[in-house]
Amino acid sequence: MEAEADRVESGTTVWRTTSIEIEGDQKIRTTCGFVDDKDADKIPGVVSSTFVRDGRILAIPVNEYRTGESPPSRATLREDDLAVVLVRRVGESALVTPEHAGWTATRSIGIIRAEPLIVRWLHIWLQTPTAKARIDEDVTAHVEPTVSLGTLRQMLFPLPPPDVISAYHRTFSLIEETISLYRETARKAVALADALHDNWAFSSRPWETRSLAKVAKLKTGKGSERSLLPPPVEPSADVVAPRDLYDLPVPHVPRFRLSGPAEADESHPSGTIMLSTRSDGAHIAVLNRPATPLRSVVAIRPAEDEDRWWLLHELRSRSGDIAGLAQGQNSREISALALRRLEITWPDRFSRAEFHTAAGPLHEAAQLLVSRIATLHDLRNALLRDISAKIGILREPTTKSAEQGTGAPYSAEIPAPRVGRTGHESGWPPEYRRAHE
């Protein structure tokens, strides 16, 4: 069937409707890896779904690739391939750059290979809310959420003219490059403040040592995400869950994922340090607006606001010690009671004030950059919604799918995979279904 049968008009351009299956293997080839994810850390030059995040393949220092160690196969990545996550964070994708060309993909990664313009467009399209909602319909969860290559092959998508794809690709690439630059700059600003702290803390001066309870007020959060009530229209406050603190590039968050009623007796003001733990250490952020912690998150408020930065970096420097105070599986249960006895280095008042003056501008710069990153994320999401709206179909992924994208625990209550493949299950209006009839 000719893919030209379906067309979507948007402004002065025409976007035709097609699918990987319609285009055929001559134009778009698909395959997946064959190495088990559990063996990825043991084999040099392997990319697993764990490292496909934020539209790129992250650096994998453990799996240093050595030329000639793995013979080429169907699972060998090439430059300009699209690596698509098939397990857990289903549908997330990354363009393969020269850095990872020649690496081998695991079973959890699907590989889409076509001319660069088509691959770049599919990378953009898979991020749209409509594509995410469509993929969500066919997710299975026998053990963990999974989507098949067959679903990706049969999913309808609009294909704009080459000049439109190039314009979108340039726009999204610039957004991602700017986000990456801002994130790295913010990270280095905080790393510099860490270095200043270490220089102060390990100087030859005989600093005093105090327990955390003597220099700050501590309170353990309560409740869980499941127990949260729907927040009123106003007023509401951010709610901090343990996983919202994990793996932050810097200890600053412009807004948290959850919100709830703004209860004065439970909410903590800006400047409060929020801390959670995992087996890899403590995970910390400083509030820039009022928020309420949930269970296994401890709110730490220094007795003097001017001690905030010293206290923050002291806690960061004692990450392993703090994790040792936690209980439960993977050291995820931390409480104010356990933290009270933590011994920290506490310089004299003048030295703490001097450190506050030095570290403050670095944190202000990091906070500004994090705020700009959030603005760029909002811009990117608006563009993705606009792409869905241009074809007349703006669908939103389910709450479960949206939470999955941020690392939320995934429920087993997933719709069963659809059996029929008539085009009517795709969510596209009747006028766009002819390609499957």
Side-chain angles (χ1 to χ4, degrees), residues 154-214:
Q154 296 173 9
M155 184 176 68
L156 294 171
F157 63 88
L159 187 62
D163 59 333
V164 176
I165 295 177
S166 296
Y168 273 120
H169 175 67
R170 175 173 169 75
T171 300
F172 280 97
S173 295
L174 287 172
I175 290 175
E176 292 302 327
E177 289 170 11
T178 306
I179 288 175
S180 179
L181 175 63
Y182 286 171
R183 184 184 290 120
E184 183 62 13
T185 305
R187 188 191 66 79
K188 288 185 176 180
V190 175
L192 178 53
D194 279 332
L196 290 174
H197 164 268
D198 293 346
N199 186 52
W200 249 278
F202 297 109
S203 68
S204 58
R205 305 180 196 180
W207 300 129
E208 183 181 353
T209 299
R210 294 189 183 182
S211 66
L212 184 57
K214 290 184 178 181

Side-chain angles (χ1 to χ4, degrees), residues 326-342:
Q327 297 179 343
Q329 187 177 13
N330 297 321
S331 301
R332 297 197 181 198
E333 296 177 20
I334 190 67
S335 67
L337 182 62
L339 279 174
R340 287 176 59 85
R341 63 179 183 271
L342 179 70

Side-chain angles (χ1 to χ4, degrees), residues 8-29:
V8 179
E9 186 169 351
S10 177
T12 59
T13 63
V14 175
W15 297 10
R16 66 185 176 91
T17 303
T18 186
S19 70
I20 294 176
E21 188 173 67
I22 291 172
E23 294 298 309
D25 289 340
Q26 295 301 315
K27 288 188 177 181
I28 308 178
R29 297 184 59 189

Side-chain angles (χ1 to χ4, degrees), residues 267-326:
S267 184
H268 296 269
S270 60
T272 302
I273 297 170
M274 293 286 174
L275 182 148
S276 65
T277 55
R278 255 185 346 194
S279 57
D280 59 350
H283 296 256
I284 305 168
V286 181
L287 298 181
N288 68 350
R289 58 193 230 173
T292 303
L294 294 179
R295 185 171 55 243
S296 297
V297 175
V298 179
I300 305 170
R301 181 75 178 175
E304 301 290 339
D305 286 341
E306 290 74 15
D307 294 335
R308 179 193 318 144
W309 301 132
W310 181 264
L311 182 57
L312 169 69
H313 289 280
E314 261 297 291
L315 294 173
R316 284 170 63 87
S317 72
R318 300 183 182 277
S319 176
D321 295 336
I322 293 172
L325 298 174

Side-chain angles (χ1 to χ4, degrees), residues 3-330:
E4 299 287 344
D6 278 347
R7 293 181 178 273
V8 179
E9 186 169 351
S10 177
T12 59
T13 63
V14 175
W15 297 10
R16 66 185 176 91
T17 303
T18 186
S19 70
I20 294 176
E21 188 173 67
I22 291 172
E23 294 298 309
D25 289 340
Q26 295 301 315
K27 288 188 177 181
I28 308 178
R29 297 184 59 189
T30 60
T31 186
C32 63
F34 54 76
V35 178
D36 285 335
D37 277 42
K38 63 181 180 180
D39 297 325
D41 292 339
K42 305 172 186 176
I43 305 174
V46 172
V47 176
S48 69
S49 59
T50 302
F51 297 97
V52 178
R53 291 181 181 273
D54 300 323
R56 60 196 179 99
I57 299 175
L58 304 181
I60 313 173
V62 176
N63 292 348
E64 296 180 357
Y65 178 68
R66 294 186 284 277
T67 305
E69 197 153 317
S70 299
S73 67
R74 64 174 174 82
T76 300
L77 297 172
R78 298 181 189 173
E79 184 178 355
D80 291 327
D81 281 352
L82 185 64
V84 184
V85 175
L86 303 178
V87 181
R88 290 183 294 276
R89 292 171 293 101
V90 293
E92 191 161 347
S93 65
L95 293 171
V96 178
T97 63
E99 180 183 0
H100 293 100
W103 289 49
T104 302
T106 63
R107 296 180 192 275
S108 59
I109 289 181
I111 304 170
I112 298 178
R113 184 169 296 153
E115 62 179 86
L117 274 179
I118 292 179
V119 171
R120 290 168 184 170
W121 175 250
L122 284 172
H123 178 47
I124 293 171
W125 172 250
L126 287 174
Q127 299 175 63
T128 63
T130 297
K132 289 182 177 180
R134 175 64 187 91
I135 290 173
D136 187 61
E137 292 178 353
D138 283 276
V139 166
T140 59
H142 301 299
V143 177
E144 50 194 354
T146 304
V147 70
S148 69
L149 273 178
T151 293
L152 296 179
R153 287 184 58 82
Q154 296 173 9
M155 184 176 68
L156 294 171
F157 63 88
L159 187 62
D163 59 333
V164 176
I165 295 177
S166 296
Y168 273 120
H169 175 67
R170 175 173 169 75
T171 300
F172 280 97
S173 295
L174 287 172
I175 290 175
E176 292 302 327
E177 289 170 11
T178 306
I179 288 175
S180 179
L181 175 63
Y182 286 171
R183 184 184 290 120
E184 183 62 13
T185 305
R187 188 191 66 79
K188 288 185 176 180
V190 175
L192 178 53
D194 279 332
L196 290 174
H197 164 268
D198 293 346
N199 186 52
W200 249 278
F202 297 109
S203 68
S204 58
R205 305 180 196 180
W207 300 129
E208 183 181 353
T209 299
R210 294 189 183 182
S211 66
L212 184 57
K214 290 184 178 181
V215 300
K217 296 179 180 179
L218 296 85
K219 186 174 182 180
T220 308
K222 59 183 181 180
S224 64
E225 292 188 38
R226 293 179 181 274
S227 67
L228 283 178
L229 297 174
V233 177
E234 284 193 34
S236 64
D238 285 356
V239 174
V240 185
R243 66 188 179 92
D244 294 325
L245 302 176
Y246 296 156
D247 303 320
L248 294 176
V250 295
H252 300 288
V253 180
R255 57 178 179 265
F256 284 93
R257 175 178 53 92
L258 303 171
S259 61
E263 300 178 11
D265 57 335
E266 299 293 338
S267 184
H268 296 269
S270 60
T272 302
I273 297 170
M274 293 286 174
L275 182 148
S276 65
T277 55
R278 255 185 346 194
S279 57
D280 59 350
H283 296 256
I284 305 168
V286 181
L287 298 181
N288 68 350
R289 58 193 230 173
T292 303
L294 294 179
R295 185 171 55 243
S296 297
V297 175
V298 179
I300 305 170
R301 181 75 178 175
E304 301 290 339
D305 286 341
E306 290 74 15
D307 294 335
R308 179 193 318 144
W309 301 132
W310 181 264
L311 182 57
L312 169 69
H313 289 280
E314 261 297 291
L315 294 173
R316 284 170 63 87
S317 72
R318 300 183 182 277
S319 176
D321 295 336
I322 293 172
L325 298 174
Q327 297 179 343
Q329 187 177 13
N330 297 321

